[in-house]
Amino acid sequence: MNDTASKIRELNDLLRTKMIGGKFMISAGLSAEGQKTVAKVLQAVRSFKNFNQNNDPYKEHDMGIVNIDAKNYIWKIDYYDLDYMYHSPDAANPLVTKRVLTICKDIEY
């Protein structure tokens, strides 16, 4: 594994597990499920550990699927420039990258 992927993974895990280093967004569909479901999904995303070659081929921990109450929810981390206008020039560098973790129902993806 290269140093860039390791740094990206570290920053992604920090956002996902501790809510540090970026923003969380939830979709309208997830929000409509109610506070209890949103809380369960957030907890499942924060504790997600099922990374493997199929869902994390670059070992960056940037996407996953959680199942809550027989429904699938997808989470994805995207990397933006400091103005949230364009893709980050270097996702491994937090000085030039703003991270956004978005969670949605699978049918919204």
Side-chain angles (χ1 to χ4, degrees):
M1 176 179 344
N2 66 47
D3 289 340
T4 300
S6 293
K7 184 62 177 173
I8 291 171
R9 184 180 63 250
E10 177 184 320
L11 293 166
N12 287 347
D13 284 346
L14 189 61
L15 173 59
R16 184 179 53 79
T17 63
K18 299 192 184 317
M19 301 174 131
I20 295 172
K23 294 182 180 184
F24 269 69
M25 305 295 289
I26 62 169
S27 69
L30 173 53
S31 180
E33 297 284 322
Q35 285 184 322
K36 286 183 181 181
T37 297
V38 170
K40 286 185 203 178
V41 171
L42 283 172
Q43 183 55 42
V45 169
R46 290 179 75 188
S47 62
F48 185 85
K49 290 182 174 70
N50 188 28
F51 296 104
N52 59 59
Q53 185 60 35
N54 292 325
N55 68 11
D56 191 29
Y58 303 107
K59 299 182 179 5
E60 295 178 351
H61 293 189
D62 62 345
M63 186 173 188
I65 299 173
V66 295
N67 185 283
I68 303 296
D69 299 329
K71 294 181 184 175
N72 286 327
Y73 299 89
I74 297 172
W75 62 268
K76 172 81 173 92
I77 299 174
D78 292 298
Y79 319 110
Y80 294 94
D81 67 3
L82 298 180
D83 295 321
Y84 294 100
M85 294 285 293
Y86 304 103
H87 193 267
S88 168
D90 180 3
N93 183 349
L95 299 177
V96 298
T97 304
K98 297 287 186 175
R99 284 177 156 62
V100 178
L101 190 154
T102 303
I103 309 170
C104 65
K105 295 168 69 171
D106 63 350
I107 61 171
E108 295 177 295
Y109 191 75

